[in-house]
Amino acid sequence: MKARITGALVALIVLCAFALGGCATSGTLHKPTTAGNAGTSALVAYAAGGFFAGQYLGLDPCATPPVYPCKTKAVNDQVLHADKVAYAAAKAADAAAGDAAAKAKADDALKALKKLGESPPVKSQVDLINAKNGESQ
Amino acid sequence: MIQVLLALIASLAGSIGGQTGALVTQLVNTIGTVTLDKAAFDATIGPWIAWANGIVDANREPTPEEHAAANALADAIHANNQSLGSGGPPVPLPAPPTS
């Protein structure tokens, strides 16, 4: 039974990998075409990144001993700061009405948020959650 | 094995391009796996992305109301993150525009 469920899950993931466009449709913004819709896209792009930052920020603080998944104060503060920067950059990009430099700054801020998501303290939580989910299937 | 496949998906997403949309896809596949709550993303932010894409695809400027809605969304996400990061309660997000 466990093997069948795991197999179905793997098949689903592989299917998503090959039909990535379909799987990720709701998470992909189209390339802006005007100054105004570039600003709107920057704001929504921040919202998408910020949503996931909120997922980490919403974890319970790590206790002693820690019960995973949980967040540490140090990483919490880093994510909080990165979110603040990304928010400010998105607002600036919107206010700049399509200015390329402001748009690039907003993209860089989102990249920083993403990089934080891939950093060892956060990635270790990801690995633990993945392992935990694997055990429960 | 699942971790490897998730990494593959993230890698494929990264190969799509360098624009903001691809970046969001990468975020879905990296930061999103922190809680593996992509379903919540699809339900909450997905409609907003579809809404923004509708404006872009129409190759038009957003109306003042639409612009205000996008700002309200970003403001709410930021307020929510600041609250959660400070140990406070979650802040409700605005409902996605219906048109």
Side-chain angles (χ1 to χ4, degrees), chain B residues 22-46:
Chain B
L23 188 59
V24 172
T25 304
Q26 288 182 337
L27 282 161
V28 170
N29 291 312
T30 53
I31 297 175
T33 57
V34 168
T35 59
L36 300 178
D37 203 359
K38 188 173 180 301
F41 176 89
D42 286 343
T44 308
I45 305 297

mmCIF file with all atom_site columns, all heavy atoms in Angstrom, chain B residues 22-46:
data_model
loop_
_atom_site.group_PDB
_atom_site.id
_atom_site.type_symbol
_atom_site.label_atom_id
_atom_site.label_alt_id
_atom_site.label_comp_id
_atom_site.label_asym_id
_atom_site.label_entity_id
_atom_site.label_seq_id
_atom_site.pdbx_PDB_ins_code
_atom_site.Cartn_x
_atom_site.Cartn_y
_atom_site.Cartn_z
_atom_site.occupancy
_atom_site.B_iso_or_equiv
_atom_site.pdbx_formal_charge
_atom_site.auth_seq_id
_atom_site.auth_comp_id
_atom_site.auth_asym_id
_atom_site.auth_atom_id
_atom_site.pdbx_PDB_model_num
ATOM 1   N N   . ALA B 1 22 ? 9.048  33.769 -13.695 1.00 0.00 ? 22 ALA B N   1
ATOM 2   C CA  . ALA B 1 22 ? 9.844  32.578 -13.414 1.00 0.00 ? 22 ALA B CA  1
ATOM 3   C C   . ALA B 1 22 ? 10.364 32.610 -11.989 1.00 0.00 ? 22 ALA B C   1
ATOM 4   O O   . ALA B 1 22 ? 10.470 31.580 -11.323 1.00 0.00 ? 22 ALA B O   1
ATOM 5   C CB  . ALA B 1 22 ? 10.998 32.482 -14.397 1.00 0.00 ? 22 ALA B CB  1
ATOM 6   N N   . LEU B 1 23 ? 10.673 33.800 -11.539 1.00 0.00 ? 23 LEU B N   1
ATOM 7   C CA  . LEU B 1 23 ? 11.166 33.943 -10.174 1.00 0.00 ? 23 LEU B CA  1
ATOM 8   C C   . LEU B 1 23 ? 10.099 33.513 -9.182  1.00 0.00 ? 23 LEU B C   1
ATOM 9   O O   . LEU B 1 23 ? 10.376 32.822 -8.204  1.00 0.00 ? 23 LEU B O   1
ATOM 10  C CB  . LEU B 1 23 ? 11.555 35.410 -9.939  1.00 0.00 ? 23 LEU B CB  1
ATOM 11  C CG  . LEU B 1 23 ? 12.256 35.724 -8.642  1.00 0.00 ? 23 LEU B CG  1
ATOM 12  C CD1 . LEU B 1 23 ? 13.538 34.921 -8.540  1.00 0.00 ? 23 LEU B CD1 1
ATOM 13  C CD2 . LEU B 1 23 ? 12.554 37.203 -8.568  1.00 0.00 ? 23 LEU B CD2 1
ATOM 14  N N   . VAL B 1 24 ? 8.871  33.900 -9.465  1.00 0.00 ? 24 VAL B N   1
ATOM 15  C CA  . VAL B 1 24 ? 7.770  33.495 -8.599  1.00 0.00 ? 24 VAL B CA  1
ATOM 16  C C   . VAL B 1 24 ? 7.623  31.983 -8.622  1.00 0.00 ? 24 VAL B C   1
ATOM 17  O O   . VAL B 1 24 ? 7.412  31.351 -7.591  1.00 0.00 ? 24 VAL B O   1
ATOM 18  C CB  . VAL B 1 24 ? 6.452  34.172 -9.038  1.00 0.00 ? 24 VAL B CB  1
ATOM 19  C CG1 . VAL B 1 24 ? 5.271  33.587 -8.266  1.00 0.00 ? 24 VAL B CG1 1
ATOM 20  C CG2 . VAL B 1 24 ? 6.536  35.663 -8.815  1.00 0.00 ? 24 VAL B CG2 1
ATOM 21  N N   . THR B 1 25 ? 7.789  31.383 -9.801  1.00 0.00 ? 25 THR B N   1
ATOM 22  C CA  . THR B 1 25 ? 7.705  29.931 -9.902  1.00 0.00 ? 25 THR B CA  1
ATOM 23  C C   . THR B 1 25 ? 8.770  29.284 -9.043  1.00 0.00 ? 25 THR B C   1
ATOM 24  O O   . THR B 1 25 ? 8.531  28.294 -8.356  1.00 0.00 ? 25 THR B O   1
ATOM 25  C CB  . THR B 1 25 ? 7.874  29.495 -11.370 1.00 0.00 ? 25 THR B CB  1
ATOM 26  O OG1 . THR B 1 25 ? 6.902  30.160 -12.162 1.00 0.00 ? 25 THR B OG1 1
ATOM 27  C CG2 . THR B 1 25 ? 7.686  27.989 -11.509 1.00 0.00 ? 25 THR B CG2 1
ATOM 28  N N   . GLN B 1 26 ? 9.968  29.853 -9.072  1.00 0.00 ? 26 GLN B N   1
ATOM 29  C CA  . GLN B 1 26 ? 11.042 29.311 -8.253  1.00 0.00 ? 26 GLN B CA  1
ATOM 30  C C   . GLN B 1 26 ? 10.695 29.444 -6.776  1.00 0.00 ? 26 GLN B C   1
ATOM 31  O O   . GLN B 1 26 ? 10.963 28.545 -5.985  1.00 0.00 ? 26 GLN B O   1
ATOM 32  C CB  . GLN B 1 26 ? 12.350 30.049 -8.546  1.00 0.00 ? 26 GLN B CB  1
ATOM 33  C CG  . GLN B 1 26 ? 12.936 29.690 -9.904  1.00 0.00 ? 26 GLN B CG  1
ATOM 34  C CD  . GLN B 1 26 ? 14.245 30.395 -10.155 1.00 0.00 ? 26 GLN B CD  1
ATOM 35  O OE1 . GLN B 1 26 ? 14.529 31.422 -9.568  1.00 0.00 ? 26 GLN B OE1 1
ATOM 36  N NE2 . GLN B 1 26 ? 15.038 29.838 -11.043 1.00 0.00 ? 26 GLN B NE2 1
ATOM 37  N N   . LEU B 1 27 ? 10.095 30.563 -6.427  1.00 0.00 ? 27 LEU B N   1
ATOM 38  C CA  . LEU B 1 27 ? 9.708  30.761 -5.029  1.00 0.00 ? 27 LEU B CA  1
ATOM 39  C C   . LEU B 1 27 ? 8.703  29.708 -4.601  1.00 0.00 ? 27 LEU B C   1
ATOM 40  O O   . LEU B 1 27 ? 8.777  29.162 -3.514  1.00 0.00 ? 27 LEU B O   1
ATOM 41  C CB  . LEU B 1 27 ? 9.121  32.167 -4.839  1.00 0.00 ? 27 LEU B CB  1
ATOM 42  C CG  . LEU B 1 27 ? 10.137 33.281 -4.766  1.00 0.00 ? 27 LEU B CG  1
ATOM 43  C CD1 . LEU B 1 27 ? 9.468  34.618 -5.047  1.00 0.00 ? 27 LEU B CD1 1
ATOM 44  C CD2 . LEU B 1 27 ? 10.798 33.314 -3.408  1.00 0.00 ? 27 LEU B CD2 1
ATOM 45  N N   . VAL B 1 28 ? 7.794  29.403 -5.509  1.00 0.00 ? 28 VAL B N   1
ATOM 46  C CA  . VAL B 1 28 ? 6.802  28.372 -5.214  1.00 0.00 ? 28 VAL B CA  1
ATOM 47  C C   . VAL B 1 28 ? 7.506  27.054 -4.912  1.00 0.00 ? 28 VAL B C   1
ATOM 48  O O   . VAL B 1 28 ? 7.128  26.322 -4.016  1.00 0.00 ? 28 VAL B O   1
ATOM 49  C CB  . VAL B 1 28 ? 5.844  28.187 -6.405  1.00 0.00 ? 28 VAL B CB  1
ATOM 50  C CG1 . VAL B 1 28 ? 4.974  26.942 -6.208  1.00 0.00 ? 28 VAL B CG1 1
ATOM 51  C CG2 . VAL B 1 28 ? 4.958  29.400 -6.565  1.00 0.00 ? 28 VAL B CG2 1
ATOM 52  N N   . ASN B 1 29 ? 8.560  26.789 -5.666  1.00 0.00 ? 29 ASN B N   1
ATOM 53  C CA  . ASN B 1 29 ? 9.218  25.491 -5.543  1.00 0.00 ? 29 ASN B CA  1
ATOM 54  C C   . ASN B 1 29 ? 10.339 25.451 -4.504  1.00 0.00 ? 29 ASN B C   1
ATOM 55  O O   . ASN B 1 29 ? 10.927 24.402 -4.293  1.00 0.00 ? 29 ASN B O   1
ATOM 56  C CB  . ASN B 1 29 ? 9.767  25.072 -6.901  1.00 0.00 ? 29 ASN B CB  1
ATOM 57  C CG  . ASN B 1 29 ? 8.647  24.751 -7.859  1.00 0.00 ? 29 ASN B CG  1
ATOM 58  O OD1 . ASN B 1 29 ? 7.726  24.025 -7.510  1.00 0.00 ? 29 ASN B OD1 1
ATOM 59  N ND2 . ASN B 1 29 ? 8.693  25.309 -9.040  1.00 0.00 ? 29 ASN B ND2 1
ATOM 60  N N   . THR B 1 30 ? 10.641 26.576 -3.907  1.00 0.00 ? 30 THR B N   1
ATOM 61  C CA  . THR B 1 30 ? 11.685 26.561 -2.881  1.00 0.00 ? 30 THR B CA  1
ATOM 62  C C   . THR B 1 30 ? 11.114 26.975 -1.535  1.00 0.00 ? 30 THR B C   1
ATOM 63  O O   . THR B 1 30 ? 10.860 26.138 -0.680  1.00 0.00 ? 30 THR B O   1
ATOM 64  C CB  . THR B 1 30 ? 12.847 27.491 -3.268  1.00 0.00 ? 30 THR B CB  1
ATOM 65  O OG1 . THR B 1 30 ? 12.351 28.781 -3.555  1.00 0.00 ? 30 THR B OG1 1
ATOM 66  C CG2 . THR B 1 30 ? 13.581 26.946 -4.471  1.00 0.00 ? 30 THR B CG2 1
ATOM 67  N N   . ILE B 1 31 ? 10.853 28.255 -1.390  1.00 0.00 ? 31 ILE B N   1
ATOM 68  C CA  . ILE B 1 31 ? 10.304 28.714 -0.111  1.00 0.00 ? 31 ILE B CA  1
ATOM 69  C C   . ILE B 1 31 ? 8.986  28.012 0.167   1.00 0.00 ? 31 ILE B C   1
ATOM 70  O O   . ILE B 1 31 ? 8.671  27.659 1.296   1.00 0.00 ? 31 ILE B O   1
ATOM 71  C CB  . ILE B 1 31 ? 10.097 30.244 -0.125  1.00 0.00 ? 31 ILE B CB  1
ATOM 72  C CG1 . ILE B 1 31 ? 11.443 30.939 -0.289  1.00 0.00 ? 31 ILE B CG1 1
ATOM 73  C CG2 . ILE B 1 31 ? 9.445  30.699 1.165   1.00 0.00 ? 31 ILE B CG2 1
ATOM 74  C CD1 . ILE B 1 31 ? 11.347 32.428 -0.423  1.00 0.00 ? 31 ILE B CD1 1
ATOM 75  N N   . GLY B 1 32 ? 8.240  27.733 -0.905  1.00 0.00 ? 32 GLY B N   1
ATOM 76  C CA  . GLY B 1 32 ? 6.940  27.092 -0.737  1.00 0.00 ? 32 GLY B CA  1
ATOM 77  C C   . GLY B 1 32 ? 7.027  25.726 -0.094  1.00 0.00 ? 32 GLY B C   1
ATOM 78  O O   . GLY B 1 32 ? 6.109  25.302 0.579   1.00 0.00 ? 32 GLY B O   1
ATOM 79  N N   . THR B 1 33 ? 8.138  25.049 -0.285  1.00 0.00 ? 33 THR B N   1
ATOM 80  C CA  . THR B 1 33 ? 8.244  23.702 0.263   1.00 0.00 ? 33 THR B CA  1
ATOM 81  C C   . THR B 1 33 ? 8.517  23.727 1.767   1.00 0.00 ? 33 THR B C   1
ATOM 82  O O   . THR B 1 33 ? 8.529  22.683 2.402   1.00 0.00 ? 33 THR B O   1
ATOM 83  C CB  . THR B 1 33 ? 9.363  22.912 -0.432  1.00 0.00 ? 33 THR B CB  1
ATOM 84  O OG1 . THR B 1 33 ? 10.585 23.620 -0.284  1.00 0.00 ? 33 THR B OG1 1
ATOM 85  C CG2 . THR B 1 33 ? 9.048  22.695 -1.894  1.00 0.00 ? 33 THR B CG2 1
ATOM 86  N N   . VAL B 1 34 ? 8.726  24.910 2.330   1.00 0.00 ? 34 VAL B N   1
ATOM 87  C CA  . VAL B 1 34 ? 8.927  24.987 3.776   1.00 0.00 ? 34 VAL B CA  1
ATOM 88  C C   . VAL B 1 34 ? 7.745  24.366 4.501   1.00 0.00 ? 34 VAL B C   1
ATOM 89  O O   . VAL B 1 34 ? 7.890  23.622 5.447   1.00 0.00 ? 34 VAL B O   1
ATOM 90  C CB  . VAL B 1 34 ? 9.122  26.454 4.224   1.00 0.00 ? 34 VAL B CB  1
ATOM 91  C CG1 . VAL B 1 34 ? 9.042  26.569 5.728   1.00 0.00 ? 34 VAL B CG1 1
ATOM 92  C CG2 . VAL B 1 34 ? 10.458 26.966 3.726   1.00 0.00 ? 34 VAL B CG2 1
ATOM 93  N N   . THR B 1 35 ? 6.554  24.655 4.021   1.00 0.00 ? 35 THR B N   1
ATOM 94  C CA  . THR B 1 35 ? 5.381  24.055 4.639   1.00 0.00 ? 35 THR B CA  1
ATOM 95  C C   . THR B 1 35 ? 4.643  23.135 3.675   1.00 0.00 ? 35 THR B C   1
ATOM 96  O O   . THR B 1 35 ? 3.629  22.578 4.044   1.00 0.00 ? 35 THR B O   1
ATOM 97  C CB  . THR B 1 35 ? 4.404  25.144 5.126   1.00 0.00 ? 35 THR B CB  1
ATOM 98  O OG1 . THR B 1 35 ? 4.036  25.914 3.986   1.00 0.00 ? 35 THR B OG1 1
ATOM 99  C CG2 . THR B 1 35 ? 5.020  26.027 6.158   1.00 0.00 ? 35 THR B CG2 1
ATOM 100 N N   . LEU B 1 36 ? 5.197  23.005 2.459   1.00 0.00 ? 36 LEU B N   1
ATOM 101 C CA  . LEU B 1 36 ? 4.554  22.188 1.431   1.00 0.00 ? 36 LEU B CA  1
ATOM 102 C C   . LEU B 1 36 ? 3.099  22.579 1.251   1.00 0.00 ? 36 LEU B C   1
ATOM 103 O O   . LEU B 1 36 ? 2.249  21.748 1.019   1.00 0.00 ? 36 LEU B O   1
ATOM 104 C CB  . LEU B 1 36 ? 4.664  20.699 1.800   1.00 0.00 ? 36 LEU B CB  1
ATOM 105 C CG  . LEU B 1 36 ? 6.070  20.160 1.952   1.00 0.00 ? 36 LEU B CG  1
ATOM 106 C CD1 . LEU B 1 36 ? 6.038  18.705 2.370   1.00 0.00 ? 36 LEU B CD1 1
ATOM 107 C CD2 . LEU B 1 36 ? 6.865  20.312 0.674   1.00 0.00 ? 36 LEU B CD2 1
ATOM 108 N N   . ASP B 1 37 ? 2.839  23.873 1.394   1.00 0.00 ? 37 ASP B N   1
ATOM 109 C CA  . ASP B 1 37 ? 1.466  24.332 1.359   1.00 0.00 ? 37 ASP B CA  1
ATOM 110 C C   . ASP B 1 37 ? 1.168  25.059 0.060   1.00 0.00 ? 37 ASP B C   1
ATOM 111 O O   . ASP B 1 37 ? 0.677  26.174 0.056   1.00 0.00 ? 37 ASP B O   1
ATOM 112 C CB  . ASP B 1 37 ? 1.194  25.239 2.556   1.00 0.00 ? 37 ASP B CB  1
ATOM 113 C CG  . ASP B 1 37 ? -0.291 25.295 2.877   1.00 0.00 ? 37 ASP B CG  1
ATOM 114 O OD1 . ASP B 1 37 ? -1.062 24.647 2.156   1.00 0.00 ? 37 ASP B OD1 1
ATOM 115 O OD2 . ASP B 1 37 ? -0.651 25.980 3.838   1.00 0.00 ? 37 ASP B OD2 1
ATOM 116 N N   . LYS B 1 38 ? 1.470  24.409 -1.060  1.00 0.00 ? 38 LYS B N   1
ATOM 117 C CA  . LYS B 1 38 ? 1.217  25.030 -2.346  1.00 0.00 ? 38 LYS B CA  1
ATOM 118 C C   . LYS B 1 38 ? -0.284 25.176 -2.585  1.00 0.00 ? 38 LYS B C   1
ATOM 119 O O   . LYS B 1 38 ? -0.717 26.096 -3.272  1.00 0.00 ? 38 LYS B O   1
ATOM 120 C CB  . LYS B 1 38 ? 1.859  24.216 -3.471  1.00 0.00 ? 38 LYS B CB  1
ATOM 121 C CG  . LYS B 1 38 ? 1.795  24.903 -4.825  1.00 0.00 ? 38 LYS B CG  1
ATOM 122 C CD  . LYS B 1 38 ? 2.585  24.152 -5.870  1.00 0.00 ? 38 LYS B CD  1
ATOM 123 C CE  . LYS B 1 38 ? 2.496  24.866 -7.206  1.00 0.00 ? 38 LYS B CE  1
ATOM 124 N NZ  . LYS B 1 38 ? 1.109  25.010 -7.687  1.00 0.00 ? 38 LYS B NZ  1
ATOM 125 N N   . ALA B 1 39 ? -1.067 24.272 -1.995  1.00 0.00 ? 39 ALA B N   1
ATOM 126 C CA  . ALA B 1 39 ? -2.520 24.363 -2.171  1.00 0.00 ? 39 ALA B CA  1
ATOM 127 C C   . ALA B 1 39 ? -3.038 25.686 -1.614  1.00 0.00 ? 39 ALA B C   1
ATOM 128 O O   . ALA B 1 39 ? -3.898 26.329 -2.221  1.00 0.00 ? 39 ALA B O   1
ATOM 129 C CB  . ALA B 1 39 ? -3.204 23.192 -1.477  1.00 0.00 ? 39 ALA B CB  1
ATOM 130 N N   . ALA B 1 40 ? -2.475 26.083 -0.464  1.00 0.00 ? 40 ALA B N   1
ATOM 131 C CA  . ALA B 1 40 ? -2.898 27.361 0.130   1.00 0.00 ? 40 ALA B CA  1
ATOM 132 C C   . ALA B 1 40 ? -2.487 28.521 -0.768  1.00 0.00 ? 40 ALA B C   1
ATOM 133 O O   . ALA B 1 40 ? -3.220 29.493 -0.922  1.00 0.00 ? 40 ALA B O   1
ATOM 134 C CB  . ALA B 1 40 ? -2.274 27.514 1.515   1.00 0.00 ? 40 ALA B CB  1
ATOM 135 N N   . PHE B 1 41 ? -1.301 28.395 -1.366  1.00 0.00 ? 41 PHE B N   1
ATOM 136 C CA  . PHE B 1 41 ? -0.842 29.433 -2.296  1.00 0.00 ? 41 PHE B CA  1
ATOM 137 C C   . PHE B 1 41 ? -1.805 29.529 -3.473  1.00 0.00 ? 41 PHE B C   1
ATOM 138 O O   . PHE B 1 41 ? -2.234 30.621 -3.854  1.00 0.00 ? 41 PHE B O   1
ATOM 139 C CB  . PHE B 1 41 ? 0.569  29.105 -2.789  1.00 0.00 ? 41 PHE B CB  1
ATOM 140 C CG  . PHE B 1 41 ? 1.078  30.061 -3.830  1.00 0.00 ? 41 PHE B CG  1
ATOM 141 C CD1 . PHE B 1 41 ? 1.758  31.206 -3.463  1.00 0.00 ? 41 PHE B CD1 1
ATOM 142 C CD2 . PHE B 1 41 ? 0.870  29.814 -5.167  1.00 0.00 ? 41 PHE B CD2 1
ATOM 143 C CE1 . PHE B 1 41 ? 2.218  32.096 -4.425  1.00 0.00 ? 41 PHE B CE1 1
ATOM 144 C CE2 . PHE B 1 41 ? 1.337  30.694 -6.136  1.00 0.00 ? 41 PHE B CE2 1
ATOM 145 C CZ  . PHE B 1 41 ? 2.006  31.836 -5.761  1.00 0.00 ? 41 PHE B CZ  1
ATOM 146 N N   . ASP B 1 42 ? -2.127 28.377 -4.063  1.00 0.00 ? 42 ASP B N   1
ATOM 147 C CA  . ASP B 1 42 ? -3.007 28.376 -5.229  1.00 0.00 ? 42 ASP B CA  1
ATOM 148 C C   . ASP B 1 42 ? -4.360 28.997 -4.897  1.00 0.00 ? 42 ASP B C   1
ATOM 149 O O   . ASP B 1 42 ? -4.938 29.707 -5.716  1.00 0.00 ? 42 ASP B O   1
ATOM 150 C CB  . ASP B 1 42 ? -3.206 26.938 -5.731  1.00 0.00 ? 42 ASP B CB  1
ATOM 151 C CG  . ASP B 1 42 ? -1.964 26.412 -6.436  1.00 0.00 ? 42 ASP B CG  1
ATOM 152 O OD1 . ASP B 1 42 ? -1.104 27.230 -6.818  1.00 0.00 ? 42 ASP B OD1 1
ATOM 153 O OD2 . ASP B 1 42 ? -1.846 25.188 -6.589  1.00 0.00 ? 42 ASP B OD2 1
ATOM 154 N N   . ALA B 1 43 ? -4.847 28.729 -3.692  1.00 0.00 ? 43 ALA B N   1
ATOM 155 C CA  . ALA B 1 43 ? -6.167 29.233 -3.318  1.00 0.00 ? 43 ALA B CA  1
ATOM 156 C C   . ALA B 1 43 ? -6.132 30.715 -2.968  1.00 0.00 ? 43 ALA B C   1
ATOM 157 O O   . ALA B 1 43 ? -7.101 31.439 -3.212  1.00 0.00 ? 43 ALA B O   1
ATOM 158 C CB  . ALA B 1 43 ? -6.704 28.436 -2.130  1.00 0.00 ? 43 ALA B CB  1
ATOM 159 N N   . THR B 1 44 ? -5.007 31.160 -2.416  1.00 0.00 ? 44 THR B N   1
ATOM 160 C CA  . THR B 1 44 ? -4.944 32.527 -1.913  1.00 0.00 ? 44 THR B CA  1
ATOM 161 C C   . THR B 1 44 ? -4.348 33.510 -2.915  1.00 0.00 ? 44 THR B C   1
ATOM 162 O O   . THR B 1 44 ? -4.923 34.572 -3.182  1.00 0.00 ? 44 THR B O   1
ATOM 163 C CB  . THR B 1 44 ? -4.111 32.561 -0.621  1.00 0.00 ? 44 THR B CB  1
ATOM 164 O OG1 . THR B 1 44 ? -4.631 31.585 0.278   1.00 0.00 ? 44 THR B OG1 1
ATOM 165 C CG2 . THR B 1 44 ? -4.161 33.931 0.027   1.00 0.00 ? 44 THR B CG2 1
ATOM 166 N N   . ILE B 1 45 ? -3.185 33.174 -3.451  1.00 0.00 ? 45 ILE B N   1
ATOM 167 C CA  . ILE B 1 45 ? -2.478 34.088 -4.350  1.00 0.00 ? 45 ILE B CA  1
ATOM 168 C C   . ILE B 1 45 ? -2.741 33.761 -5.822  1.00 0.00 ? 45 ILE B C   1
ATOM 169 O O   . ILE B 1 45 ? -2.676 34.631 -6.682  1.00 0.00 ? 45 ILE B O   1
ATOM 170 C CB  . ILE B 1 45 ? -0.963 34.039 -4.075  1.00 0.00 ? 45 ILE B CB  1
ATOM 171 C CG1 . ILE B 1 45 ? -0.696 34.343 -2.598  1.00 0.00 ? 45 ILE B CG1 1
ATOM 172 C CG2 . ILE B 1 45 ? -0.211 35.065 -4.926  1.00 0.00 ? 45 ILE B CG2 1
ATOM 173 C CD1 . ILE B 1 45 ? -1.114 35.733 -2.147  1.00 0.00 ? 45 ILE B CD1 1
ATOM 174 N N   . GLY B 1 46 ? -3.057 32.503 -6.103  1.00 0.00 ? 46 GLY B N   1
ATOM 175 C CA  . GLY B 1 46 ? -3.303 32.099 -7.487  1.00 0.00 ? 46 GLY B CA  1
ATOM 176 C C   . GLY B 1 46 ? -4.303 32.998 -8.211  1.00 0.00 ? 46 GLY B C   1
ATOM 177 O O   . GLY B 1 46 ? -4.018 33.449 -9.328  1.00 0.00 ? 46 GLY B O   1
#
